[in-house]
Amino acid sequence: MFEVLENETLAPNVHRLVVRAPRVAKARKPGQFVIVRPSEGGERVPLTIGDADPKAGTITLFVQAVGATTLRIAGTAIGESLRDIAGPLGLATDIRNWGRVACVGGGLGTAVLFPLAKALAEAGNEVTTIIGGRAEPYVILAEELRAFSKELLITTEDGSLGRKGFVTHVLQEMIDDPDRCPDAIYAIGPVPMMRAVCEVSRPHRIKTIVSLNPIMIDGTGMCGGCRVKVGNETKFACVDGPEFDGHLVDFALLVDRLSMYREEECRLVASLPPHLKDKIINVKK
Amino acid sequence: MASPSHEFLRRHQKVIHMKKELTPKERMAIERVKMPEQDPEKRNRNFDEVNLGLTREQASREAQRCLQCKTRPCVRGCPVHVRIPEFLQAVAEDNLPEAARILLGDNTLPAVCGRVCPQETQCEIQCVRSGKDAPVAVGYLERFVADWAMEHAEEVAEEPPAPATGKKAAVVGSGPAGLTMAGELARMGHSVTIFEALHETGGVLRYGIPEFRLPKRVVDLEVSRLRRMGVEIECNVIVGKTITLGELREEFDAIFIGNGAGLPMMLNIPGENLKGVYSANEYLTRVNLMNAWRADSPTPIIHGRQVAVVGGGNTAMDAVRTSRRLGSERSTIVYRRGEAEMPARVEEIKHAREEGIEFIFLSAPLEIIGDEKGWVKGLLCQKMELGEADASGRRRPVPVEGETFEMEVDVVVNAIGTRANPLLTTSAPTLKLNKKGYIEIDQDGATNLPGVFAGGDIVRGGATVILAMGDGKSAAAAIDAYLRRKN
């Protein structure tokens, strides 16, 4: 059992949890994830480890309630426990000094981006962070990211915070400016956002690293359910990733495979009690 | 039909009026018992166990078929060397506590082995009656005694463990090799901790073998017996990720690696990433570990109408029979060799046939065909014929030029085998591996690293439950000797 020590709402349905998991806290490196199963009979879902405190034996998890299981995780109160946490899984981020790096985060992806951006800054990179969301309440971790970013740029689709528009617009301007053009890009967020970032950087041949989150079960390479196509090779995101060269990723296949259980998910959400169901439907709008 | 209460009484009534000593002629006259089974037409729509188990009367009578021969070839055929004639004798005399004592003394997981061992190629094929009429049904009797022992734990004398040695051993993986190892070491007086990567114990017994062949209740009971012996089990620990082999070596006096060969081999044909294509590991894990067969499980699975399973082993049989129970209209095995070459147990093939599974032999998949939305709609196959014998001694299948055919399917399950999972071994670069990535061991199960032993599929490649258990048992003796030497 893994006790929840903190549970803070960052944005509608987005929670930051601090959980006691001493073994994971000690072993974890930026970019790695855990498999969480909130309760007996529950589903196993992968969540990126946002941060860790090996001395305190705790890890930070960010979770967006978009389905029955994530709702359950987000709803775990302080003092309650998550039944299973296994990890750290996946390969750690390749942290090196690229020079100038653009870190691009969208929605919950910003939380996944946070530990990488921090590690990149600590490795001596000049980090420009671009984060976006639908509207102001969905932009998370701005102050935390500002602390080590040379520049922090925010976009919202409705213009309620920062620039109106998408993260790709701001990134395009950065690439077009020879004084600001990044040597590498880390893009983490919804698949359409990562795909769009890759299309922006591709003509300029700027190394672009994305973090993929396909459907997983065990997270240890045992089942192959999380397979993705990268440069014509089939890879298992859980053990070969989760980070890949974005210019080689077959995003169309990723989107398609992510939709495999849409009907079942809808049925599951439909079976939830009304107040929980509304919570998920609202955030998905 | 007998009422349930009558049935219960019949099964549990002591068998009295039994002659103490039968002549060999009388023993030879008894016909081999038939395992009572669920009706195929019913069972292919439910996940309840197929084999119902013998009654006490049936068991006792079957055990009397044993000639108690002096050569005891059956014991040699058993990878864990169960004293078969002795426990059969006790069953024949209806002395079940004694039968259980003997069986549990030799086998850590008898209720599992009694269900999933390929007895027909091990103990039973060695039986002196095997050539003449039919071998003694050792597997059925093993299951009978093990099940009786689980229901009558208080009547079974548990052998007290040896005095505590103060030595600590770590076991990586709670599958058949690891559980056997843990039981043996605990009995020898060592303190044992098992590290399991998944959230539940049992390894392949939990995620691989379906409920209808091995009820998970049986695995739970076998594991709880180990816990009672003092074995500690920590789930959610992935050795190689959560902790390294190096860290384990600092903390423990000896380590046994039995983490299995959990990495699916891919078909490497076009269409493998379409929706509706599964590895057998994923398909079975969703159903067995995550209970996707239950309507209330949050883990989904695609319930195919027409399912093709590629492969001819026990895993392929498990997957295809599962698909039937998930409601398929047609479930088919596609295997590149012939029926005689299939590695699956005879009983699994028989059961599959009875349940309406179709078999297409001498056919290999060429391409999985998808519809415009990315779902599987067909499987294109190549007709094969058998050529020269290959390294495995079986005749190698070769394509018949120009002969292909297409099947209409909506789910394809790949059950062609597994490879070594490199998660642990890549984190331990000094551990010696063979070319295929399996751990190299000597005849004692020792690796090149002092105090580190290995067994099961991570050494052999995909094999059987009992061979993994045999490895666990023989390496336990070597670890015991190592620990007693070590100060």
Side-chain angles (χ1 to χ4, degrees):
Chain A
M1 298 292 262
F2 299 83
E3 192 190 354
V4 172
L5 304 172
E6 294 175 35
N7 185 343
E8 178 192 359
T9 308
L10 295 183
N13 273 19
V14 176
H15 289 240
R16 175 183 157 278
L17 273 66
V18 175
V19 185
R20 193 186 305 284
R23 287 194 192 277
V24 182
K26 196 173 155 211
R28 164 268 177 192
K29 293 191 180 70
Q32 290 187 298
F33 65 93
V34 284
I35 294 274
V36 179
R37 180 170 168 265
S39 54
E40 198 59 61
E43 196 170 19
R44 292 167 67 96
V45 294
L47 294 177
T48 301
I49 307 166
D51 210 345
D53 184 340
K55 277 209 189 87
T58 61
I59 58 171
T60 303
L61 299 175
F62 296 94
V63 58
Q64 182 169 27
V66 291
T69 305
T70 44
L71 190 68
R72 177 124 202 192
I73 297 171
T76 310
I78 294 169
E80 289 180 352
S81 292
L82 295 167
R83 175 74 174 69
D84 300 288
I85 294 183
L89 295 163
L91 300 176
T93 307
D94 175 15
I95 302 286
R96 58 172 106 165
N97 194 340
W98 300 90
R100 193 183 295 139
V101 177
C103 289
V104 187
L108 184 74
T110 304
V112 180
L113 183 72
F114 172 72
L116 313 191
K118 192 175 162 192
L120 286 164
E122 282 164 3
N125 289 285
E126 181 189 305
V127 175
T128 298
T129 306
I130 307 170
I131 55 175
R134 266 157 52 194
E136 188 188 352
Y138 296 94
V139 176
I140 58 171
L141 300 175
E143 288 323 302
E144 288 86 343
L145 285 159
R146 200 189 300 279
F148 52 78
S149 301
K150 178 168 182 276
E151 206 180 356
L152 177 81
L153 304 162
I154 298 172
T155 66
T156 48
E157 286 169 40
D158 65 355
S160 54
L161 184 69
R163 283 269 295 274
K164 184 176 161 117
F166 293 101
V167 286
T168 39
H169 299 151
V170 179
L171 178 66
Q172 184 71 61
E173 287 172 11
M174 210 179 143
I175 290 172
D176 292 341
D177 180 350
D179 294 333
R180 293 169 65 222
C181 183
D183 301 304
I185 299 167
Y186 286 75
I188 304 174
V191 178
M193 184 214 92
M194 293 193 285
R195 193 180 197 171
V197 166
C198 289
E199 289 322 309
V200 166
S201 64
R202 193 189 304 272
H204 307 275
R205 298 205 177 125
I206 301 168
K207 181 83 168 176
T208 303
I209 292 156
V210 294
S211 180
L212 306 185
N213 192 6
I215 296 167
M216 273 183 204
I217 305 179
D218 60 288
T220 62
M222 193 187 85
C223 84
C226 65
R227 54 196 187 270
V228 290
K229 217 163 145 192
V230 182
N232 272 330
E233 261 185 89
T234 294
K235 299 273 187 189
F236 291 0
C238 67
V239 286
D240 302 321
E243 289 166 21
F244 294 100
D245 182 337
H247 293 156
L248 299 178
V249 170
D250 183 341
F251 283 107
L253 180 71
L254 177 65
V255 170
D256 201 34
R257 286 187 63 84
L258 279 168
S259 73
M260 188 151 158
Y261 299 107
R262 194 142 293 158
E263 267 181 46
E264 285 79 1
E265 281 161 20
C266 289
R267 245 203 319 272
L268 205 64
V269 168
S271 69
L272 291 171
H275 67 285
L276 295 177
K277 189 164 35 184
D278 294 346
K279 228 177 157 178
I280 288 176
I281 290 164
N282 279 336
V283 81
K284 279 202 167 167
K285 264 181 202 154
Chain B
M1 269 262 308
S3 71
S5 60
H6 179 80
E7 172 66 18
F8 181 86
L9 284 175
R10 204 168 64 81
R11 283 188 58 161
H12 293 268
Q13 214 166 36
K14 268 221 161 199
V15 182
I16 37 179
H17 305 307
M18 208 194 57
K19 272 171 81 175
K20 272 279 177 244
E21 276 302 323
L22 294 177
T23 64
K25 201 174 168 192
E26 284 171 317
R27 291 175 189 266
M28 286 299 287
I30 306 171
E31 262 186 58
R32 179 174 158 122
V33 68
K34 282 206 169 53
M35 172 61 84
E37 293 170 355
Q38 249 202 96
D39 177 359
E41 286 306 311
K42 281 191 191 136
R43 74 184 190 230
N44 67 11
R45 291 291 183 254
N46 70 44
F47 279 82
D48 297 339
E49 199 172 6
V50 170
N51 287 349
L52 300 172
L54 303 183
T55 63
R56 194 161 179 163
E57 217 166 4
Q58 283 174 317
S60 170
R61 187 147 179 80
E62 178 63 24
Q64 289 163 23
R65 294 185 66 233
C66 174
L67 302 175
Q68 296 290 324
C69 61
K70 294 282 166 282
T71 50
R72 304 156 59 84
C74 51
V75 181
R76 281 198 307 277
C78 172
V80 297
H81 310 300
V82 169
R83 284 164 289 162
I84 293 167
E86 280 90 332
F87 103 80
L88 293 189
Q89 176 77 33
V91 178
E93 289 165 4
D94 201 40
N95 185 351
L96 297 183
E98 174 61 5
R101 193 190 62 77
I102 297 167
L103 183 58
L104 287 166
D106 290 339
N107 188 337
T108 322
L109 310 169
V112 171
C113 289
R115 287 173 166 84
V116 304
C117 261
Q119 290 96 5
E120 72 270 14
T121 61
Q122 295 177 161
C123 50
E124 294 185 16
I125 200 175
Q126 301 286 343
C127 177
V128 291
R129 295 192 63 169
S130 176
K132 301 184 182 70
D133 51 339
V136 177
V138 179
Y140 297 169
L141 292 170
E142 179 178 35
R143 172 189 157 157
F144 173 78
V145 172
D147 286 0
W148 180 89
M150 287 196 296
E151 285 167 36
H152 302 83
E154 69 291 341
E155 290 180 48
V156 183
E158 280 191 24
E159 290 184 36
T165 61
K167 294 285 164 54
K168 287 167 68 185
V171 173
V172 182
S174 68
L179 291 178
T180 304
M181 171 59 77
E184 294 291 320
L185 289 179
R187 223 192 300 232
M188 293 162 175
H190 307 299
S191 130
V192 185
T193 305
I194 303 181
F195 295 100
E196 166 57 47
L198 291 172
H199 60 263
E200 294 265 27
T201 52
V204 73
L205 307 175
R206 180 80 57 178
Y207 73 75
I209 301 178
E211 182 76 15
F212 57 82
R213 206 148 73 79
L214 177 64
K216 299 313 151 218
R217 172 185 57 84
V218 172
V219 182
D220 289 338
L221 285 167
E222 302 262 37
V223 169
S224 63
R225 199 155 41 80
L226 287 184
R227 284 208 167 99
R228 277 203 309 277
M229 290 166 70
V231 173
E232 299 259 347
I233 304 178
E234 198 178 332
C235 286
N236 297 313
V237 176
I238 303 121
V239 176
K241 287 286 183 186
T242 314
I243 38 176
T244 62
L245 185 62
E247 286 169 311
L248 280 185
R249 292 180 76 195
E250 282 170 30
E251 209 182 313
F252 293 89
D253 300 305
I255 292 141
F256 176 77
I257 304 170
N259 62 342
L263 191 75
M265 282 203 273
M266 289 283 140
L267 294 167
N268 290 319
I269 58 172
E272 190 155 29
N273 294 328
L274 288 165
K275 289 174 289 183
V277 183
Y278 290 102
S279 74
N281 267 4
E282 177 179 4
Y283 192 71
L284 293 172
T285 299
R286 283 181 179 273
V287 175
N288 301 332
L289 176 71
M290 306 307 293
N291 295 314
W293 60 281
R294 292 178 199 267
D296 61 350
S297 167
T299 301
I301 190 151
I302 305 296
H303 294 238
R305 276 192 313 110
Q306 308 202 71
V307 181
V309 176
V310 181
N314 288 324
T315 308
M317 297 305 135
D318 286 344
V320 79
R321 296 172 68 196
T322 294
S323 74
R324 197 87 179 104
R325 286 159 171 80
L326 290 173
S328 78
E329 289 161 16
R330 191 174 173 206
S331 291
T332 311
I333 285 281
V334 177
Y335 182 51
R336 63 193 183 126
R337 304 185 202 241
E339 177 162 11
E341 287 79 23
M342 276 210 294
R345 284 178 67 198
V346 173
E347 182 179 61
E348 309 313 323
I349 299 168
K350 169 180 163 278
H351 280 163
R353 277 228 165 81
E354 290 167 357
E355 289 163 15
I357 306 300
E358 293 172 42
F359 290 78
I360 298 182
F361 296 111
L362 292 167
S363 300
L366 277 183
E367 181 179 352
I368 303 167
I369 300 154
D371 66 12
E372 64 288 349
K373 287 181 177 152
W375 290 93
V376 173
K377 69 165 189 180
L379 182 65
L380 179 67
C381 297
Q382 165 76 57
K383 282 303 271 179
M384 311 293 277
E385 60 189 355
L386 293 179
E388 302 287 305
D390 65 10
S392 74
R394 295 177 300 175
R395 294 173 66 192
R396 185 195 301 275
V398 288
V400 182
E401 194 77 38
E403 279 199 45
T404 62
F405 64 95
E406 201 181 316
M407 297 167 65
E408 200 181 306
V409 292
D410 54 1
V411 164
V412 174
V413 181
N414 153 19
I416 60 167
T418 56
R419 289 182 294 142
N421 188 324
L423 219 51
L424 182 149
T425 49
T426 48
S427 78
T430 53
L431 186 64
K432 204 165 163 205
L433 309 177
N434 70 12
K435 275 187 204 136
K436 287 183 171 172
Y438 297 113
I439 298 174
E440 281 202 356
I441 54 167
D442 67 11
Q443 68 281 3
D444 289 333
T447 70
N448 67 311
L449 302 179
V452 180
F453 298 74
D457 281 3
I458 192 61
V459 167
R460 314 176 158 265
T464 62
V465 167
I466 188 68
L467 285 174
M469 291 179 58
D471 289 352
K473 190 163 175 177
S474 60
I479 292 181
D480 182 54
Y482 172 84
L483 288 173
R484 289 180 196 279
R485 269 200 315 273
K486 195 178 171 185
N487 291 316

